[in-house]
Amino acid sequence: PNRYNAFTPALLQATYNYQVSQKDPGGYAHNAHYHIQLLYDSIASLNAQLADGAEGVDLSTASRNSFGHFESSADAFRHWDEDGAVSARCSTCHSADGLPFMLEHGVQIEQPISNSLECTTCHNNLEEGTLYPVESVTFPSGAELTFGEESTSNMCLTCHQGRESNVGVTQAIARSGAGDDEVSEALRFQNPHYFAPGASLFGTQAQAAFQYEDMEYNGRFEHTRRFDECSDCHMPHASTVRFEECMDCHEEVETIEDLPLIRAPPDDKDRVDYDGDGNMDEPIREEIQPFVDDLYASIFVYAADTIGAPIVQGPGYPYWFNDLNGNGELDADEASRDNSYASWTPTLLRAIYNYQFFTPGVYSHNPDYAMQVLYDTLVDISGEEAVANYTRP
């Protein structure tokens, strides 16, 4: 008679998930991450329903997911669930056994789906903690690069290199036979892929971005002698940044959230106002951002005015769609594969490839190379007037 009968949807969901966690005492062994996700989401849901002034559970120091290479719910590992296996082209970086197989046999094959990478993905001896030996890595451009034969960061380059290159884009355009502003059915979007800081760090040596003829580009970005390889700055397992090390030289860094505030070099006499806004003290990330914003705007103007087929960006595959009503937004009826953008010219392909290539972290991996490529891309798609206020590194 005294059973509880004042359930709300939020409370019903939370108590149900609490029961789920209690009914499997071995959940920590059977699927620990899943239980943590259920409990975290239930707490967050209840917090959101509390009356004004009520204090909920503090989740600021809690983690819903594992970090980086072990984030089992991330699309990097869940993308192939419906397929039943990780395809050969993707298995090296997106399955637990793909990398050691590729290192041993030199080829990629289809691999079973895994929840994340495992210790044995990179380590050939768990007792001693040693890594599989990787003396050099071949990038999509064909360039063979290395941090040095004994460097553990070569392991990072096996995956963090992107999947396309200057060579691939150039060959695709050559095969199409199209002129710069000529639409060709033979052209399609070239995806540089995600998390490719190794490619941007090596700059023109990796040939990962599209580079324009007769222009010079920077090579490997050597930060400082102690911090010029992947594992010098990143925790290999979590991929998080060792921001405490940055504090020694960069006074503006006190927490990991302060990393985008870095401006180098610290000496005013060596600084350049690349974006021409008159601010010599803004972070290098803010110097780069106007290049990115202007290229984004130029892409839409070019597609609408030069090609006559407005384009709009989407959050997922196939990434670029026809903007049917020309409003500059991806509407619900436009976000389908049947509406994927198909009016590619060589100029548009080069611009969008380079726009996609430069991820937010490029300000720390190779800022000058980024601005060189973005500057040249703006000139290619919009003319010299587009960079009238900019300085090319």
Side-chain angles (χ1 to χ4, degrees):
N2 188 43
R3 66 182 180 185
Y4 195 82
N5 62 0
F7 282 101
T8 65
L11 183 59
L12 180 62
Q13 293 160 359
T15 54
Y16 181 83
N17 281 346
Y18 174 78
Q19 288 286 104
V20 168
S21 72
Q22 296 298 299
K23 294 302 182 184
D24 182 6
Y28 68 90
H30 299 135
N31 204 336
H33 290 169
Y34 181 64
H35 282 270
I36 290 170
Q37 289 169 343
L38 290 178
L39 294 169
Y40 184 103
D41 292 345
S42 300
I43 295 169
S45 176
L46 287 180
N47 280 349
Q49 303 299 322
L50 295 178
D52 292 342
E55 186 174 342
V57 177
D58 182 10
L59 292 174
S60 61
T61 59
S63 296
R64 181 186 187 274
N65 299 309
S66 297
F67 293 109
H69 300 135
F70 301 99
E71 188 178 350
S72 56
S73 62
D75 188 60
F77 301 108
R78 300 273 65 82
H79 183 80
W80 297 267
D81 284 355
E82 294 183 358
D83 302 330
V86 182
S87 62
R89 189 181 184 195
C90 306
S91 64
T92 295
C93 304
H94 295 279
S95 69
D97 299 323
L99 179 58
F101 185 92
M102 188 277 292
L103 292 175
E104 180 179 358
H105 301 285
V107 295
Q108 297 172 292
I109 65 168
E110 185 180 272
Q111 293 285 353
I113 293 172
S114 52
N115 279 329
S116 67
L117 301 186
E118 296 177 358
C119 301
T120 52
T121 302
C122 299
H123 293 278
N124 60 2
N125 188 312
L126 298 185
E127 291 184 0
E128 298 180 6
T130 55
L131 296 170
Y132 290 100
V134 178
E135 296 182 359
S136 64
V137 175
T138 301
F139 278 63
S141 65
E144 188 173 340
L145 301 172
T146 180
F147 285 113
E149 291 185 2
E150 302 299 324
S151 174
T152 58
S153 291
N154 289 335
M155 177 68 74
C156 308
L157 295 180
T158 58
C159 285
H160 293 284
Q161 57 173 266
R163 212 167 62 180
E164 282 290 350
S165 70
N166 177 42
V167 174
V169 175
T170 300
Q171 290 177 343
I173 293 173
R175 287 194 300 268
S176 74
D180 283 344
D181 299 321
E182 181 183 352
V183 174
S184 172
E185 294 182 356
L187 294 176
R188 61 179 180 82
F189 171 58
Q190 302 279 325
N191 185 13
H193 211 50
Y194 312 94
F195 298 104
S200 54
L201 187 146
F202 276 92
T204 191
Q205 293 168 260
Q207 292 275 308
F210 180 84
Q211 300 180 177
Y212 293 85
E213 290 185 7
D214 302 322
M215 301 302 296
E216 294 184 358
Y217 296 94
N218 285 18
R220 176 181 168 185
F221 177 58
E222 297 184 354
H223 181 210
T224 70
R225 187 169 55 188
R226 289 193 301 129
F227 302 104
D228 63 352
E229 296 185 11
C230 307
S231 57
D232 293 337
C233 300
H234 292 273
M235 298 291 290
H237 295 153
S239 300
T240 51
V241 180
R242 306 178 192 268
F243 73 92
E244 299 89 349
E245 305 284 357
C246 306
M247 299 165 61
D248 292 342
C249 298
H250 298 283
E251 296 178 355
E252 60 269 50
V253 176
E254 295 181 359
T255 68
I256 194 168
E257 286 78 17
D258 295 331
L259 291 177
L261 301 178
I262 288 177
R263 174 64 194 241
D267 192 338
D268 285 347
K269 69 180 179 66
D270 293 324
R271 290 189 177 181
V272 176
D273 182 19
Y274 295 108
D275 64 0
D277 65 355
N279 186 351
M280 300 289 286
D281 297 320
E282 64 185 351
I284 193 64
R285 182 186 182 187
E286 298 305 316
E287 292 282 355
I288 297 174
Q289 193 58 45
F291 289 78
V292 177
D293 293 341
D294 281 359
L295 179 55
Y296 186 77
S298 296
I299 286 169
F300 292 108
V301 171
Y302 176 86
D305 295 351
T306 301
I307 300 177
I311 192 172
V312 63
Q313 186 181 23
Y317 185 85
Y319 306 105
W320 297 89
F321 302 83
N322 293 294
D323 188 6
L324 300 176
N325 57 14
N327 68 350
E329 298 179 1
L330 183 65
D331 301 312
D333 63 329
E334 296 170 341
S336 69
R337 293 192 181 187
D338 293 337
N339 189 45
S340 62
Y341 197 80
S343 301
W344 295 98
T345 69
T347 297
L348 183 64
L349 180 63
R350 294 189 291 257
I352 286 184
Y353 178 83
N354 281 344
Y355 172 78
Q356 293 274 141
F357 179 79
F358 289 107
T359 56
V362 74
Y363 71 89
S364 61
H365 297 130
N366 206 332
D368 286 359
Y369 178 69
M371 286 185 281
Q372 289 169 342
V373 172
L374 293 168
Y375 183 103
D376 295 345
T377 310
L378 276 168
V379 172
D380 184 44
I381 195 171
S382 293
E384 293 286 349
E385 63 275 10
V387 295
N389 296 324
Y390 291 165
T391 298
R392 186 184 190 276

